[in-house]
Amino acid sequence: MGRALIIGCGGVAGVAIHKCCQNSAVFEEIMIASRTKAKCDALKEKLDGKTDTKITTAQVNADNKDEVVALIKSYQPDLVMNIALPYQDLTIMEACLACKVNYMDTANYEPENIDDPAWRAVYEKRCQKEGFSAYFDYSWQWAYRKKFEEAGITALLGSGFDPGVTQAYCAYALKHEFDTIESIDILDCNGGDHGYAFATNFNPEINLREVSAPGSYWENGHWVEVPAMSIKRAYHFDQVGEKDMYLLHHEEIESLAKNIPGVKRIRFFMTFGQSYLDHMRCLEDVGMLSTTPVNYEGKEIVPIQFLKALLPDPAGLGPRTTGKTNIGCIFTGKKDGKDKTYYLYNVCDHQECYKEVGSQAISYTTGVPAMVGAMMLLTGKWNKAGVFTVEEFDPDPYMEALNKWGLPWQESHHPVLVD
């Protein structure tokens, strides 16, 4: 049915590629492209003979628009799946515009160099205007709406789990369960244990920048920002147990605040163990989370990039990670004039994910929705020109595909609310 160019070959991309190859009726051909072609070749060799999907590989520097354009023109895909780093979102979007091909990613844009004066000037204005100071936001990609509309192509932003599936949950709840949604609490629980003293479950650079940023939430039409990790709650998660969770800023809050009519409050919570928090605070205190280059013995190094090189590779955590994840949304609102609560969530087992695709559940829960979002575009079930987030499309085919392809959802009509 379609041909997809997949840029990226890390843990999440590996899951998405496995799932595309399971879905050969839709993904008839794929090209895996990365800065390191050997990684693409190794994955191709692993999958050859186990799928009807035709796989090719290529080398590409996704920071270089001209290289991406040349690859797109050579391969002629129906869709570009950006599963590289958020730093590269704009470059790949520009290349898709130049070639008039559909685009999708799993996380919104953020800059690699937060000291760049041009970016910094725009960022500081946004902080004053919007009221939150996280380095990642949708404004840079939303700025491409008119260009994608005029080109007649689609850009689907953030089709991972959170963002992604959580937004589909919101659209589904609004369509089927509520007349109006008043509050949304997004809860991300990882009950897994990898056995290391300290490791991150996805790209360390992105992970540590995200969780060390000030927290923020949407309430009564504006942002409320609080110090990092200053709001803590305990919650009992189905099949995981009670865990401490902390309020973070997260990108889907920004789009949901615009696209869920009348919502009064949106919060995002993620679970962390005390050991993780202690390590992170120590690293932050000594400057290891900094993105500003420092001179060491005549060479410039970026501290957080050096730290990334020292930490375990998230793609290699699968064999040793046990336990489960539980990610979902709790809603309050009204249906037929009556107060209502509702909880949509997914439980995923780390070891089951590893048995299926050689990955831990964090990569799995992002890689599966990447395939599902791409499937929506390739099959034409989601088909409108412009730049969109997941909740702006019909949730039903996406939700149905989640059940089929490895992330079945569960629901509760009487959940315990977060105070």
Side-chain angles (χ1 to χ4, degrees), residues 161-371:
F161 205 109
D162 44 351
V165 172
T166 51
Q167 288 149 292
Y169 285 176
C170 293
Y172 181 89
L174 184 61
K175 180 177 180 179
H176 296 286
E177 299 291 334
F178 292 89
D179 296 324
T180 57
I181 292 175
E182 295 177 356
S183 74
I184 304 169
D185 278 336
I186 303 165
L187 311 185
D188 184 326
C189 168
N190 177 18
D193 181 8
H194 47 59
Y196 286 112
F198 184 73
T200 63
N201 290 295
F202 59 95
N203 184 287
E205 197 172 342
I206 304 300
N207 176 268
L208 291 167
R209 282 171 60 159
E210 176 182 307
V211 302
S212 62
S216 56
Y217 59 97
W218 181 261
E219 188 167 55
N220 296 324
H222 67 277
W223 288 95
V224 179
E225 187 164 271
V226 299
M229 303 295 177
S230 62
I231 295 179
K232 172 185 173 182
R233 298 288 187 270
Y235 196 83
H236 189 277
F237 291 90
D238 181 27
Q239 300 183 52
V240 176
E242 185 167 299
K243 294 288 182 181
D244 290 337
M245 61 184 189
Y246 297 80
L247 186 142
L248 304 182
H249 176 85
H250 226 244
E251 57 254 58
E252 65 262 51
I253 300 175
E254 187 180 7
S255 68
L256 291 170
K258 294 180 183 295
N259 294 321
I260 302 297
V263 65
K264 295 178 181 177
R265 188 183 70 189
I266 312 172
R267 301 182 296 184
F268 181 97
F269 291 90
M270 183 175 284
T271 62
F272 295 97
Q274 192 58 49
S275 176
Y276 180 97
L277 296 177
D278 290 343
H279 278 82
M280 186 186 75
R281 286 170 179 147
C282 179
L283 291 167
E284 185 174 25
D285 287 345
V286 299
M288 285 302 297
L289 303 190
S290 172
T291 60
T292 301
V294 297
N295 189 285
Y296 177 71
E297 295 186 347
K299 296 180 180 180
E300 275 201 346
I301 64 169
V302 177
I304 197 169
Q305 292 179 355
F306 179 71
L307 175 63
K308 175 183 175 181
L310 294 176
L311 292 175
D313 180 359
L317 295 178
R320 57 187 295 150
T321 305
T322 58
K324 297 180 180 180
T325 63
N326 181 319
I327 313 173
C329 301
I330 299 176
F331 306 93
T332 68
K334 293 189 183 298
K335 180 70 173 179
D336 299 327
K338 297 179 180 179
D339 290 339
K340 177 173 182 173
T341 61
Y342 183 59
Y343 187 13
L344 267 174
Y345 63 97
N346 164 265
V347 176
C348 201
D349 186 288
H350 284 286
Q351 282 298 298
E352 291 302 316
C353 295
Y354 183 71
K355 289 175 186 175
E356 182 190 345
V357 297
S359 160
Q360 35 84 357
I362 303 301
S363 294
Y364 190 90
T365 54
T366 305
V368 172
M371 183 280 287

Side-chain angles (χ1 to χ4, degrees), residues 400-417:
E400 180 182 351
L402 292 174
N403 280 335
K404 180 177 180 180
W405 293 103
L407 293 178
W409 41 276
Q410 302 180 51
E411 57 187 351
S412 169
H413 290 272
H414 302 285
V416 174
L417 301 181

Side-chain angles (χ1 to χ4, degrees), residues 125-133 216 223-225:
K125 287 182 180 179
R126 190 219 72 196
C127 290
Q128 292 178 348
K129 179 183 177 182
E130 299 294 341
F132 67 91
S133 60
S216 56
W223 288 95
V224 179
E225 187 164 271

Side-chain angles (χ1 to χ4, degrees), residues 49-67:
K50 300 176 182 178
T51 177
D52 291 331
T53 300
K54 180 182 177 182
I55 306 170
T56 53
T57 65
Q59 190 278 334
V60 69
N61 176 5
D63 293 315
N64 187 315
K65 174 188 169 182
D66 292 339
E67 283 193 31

Side-chain angles (χ1 to χ4, degrees), residues 81-111:
M81 298 171 64
N82 170 15
I83 319 183
L85 294 174
Y87 308 148
Q88 297 157 335
D89 287 0
L90 302 188
T91 303
I92 300 174
M93 287 182 77
E94 287 277 5
C96 287
L97 269 174
C99 300
K100 293 189 176 181
V101 61
N102 289 339
Y103 165 92
M104 66 148 291
D105 62 36
T106 61
N108 68 2
Y109 171 72
E110 63 178 286

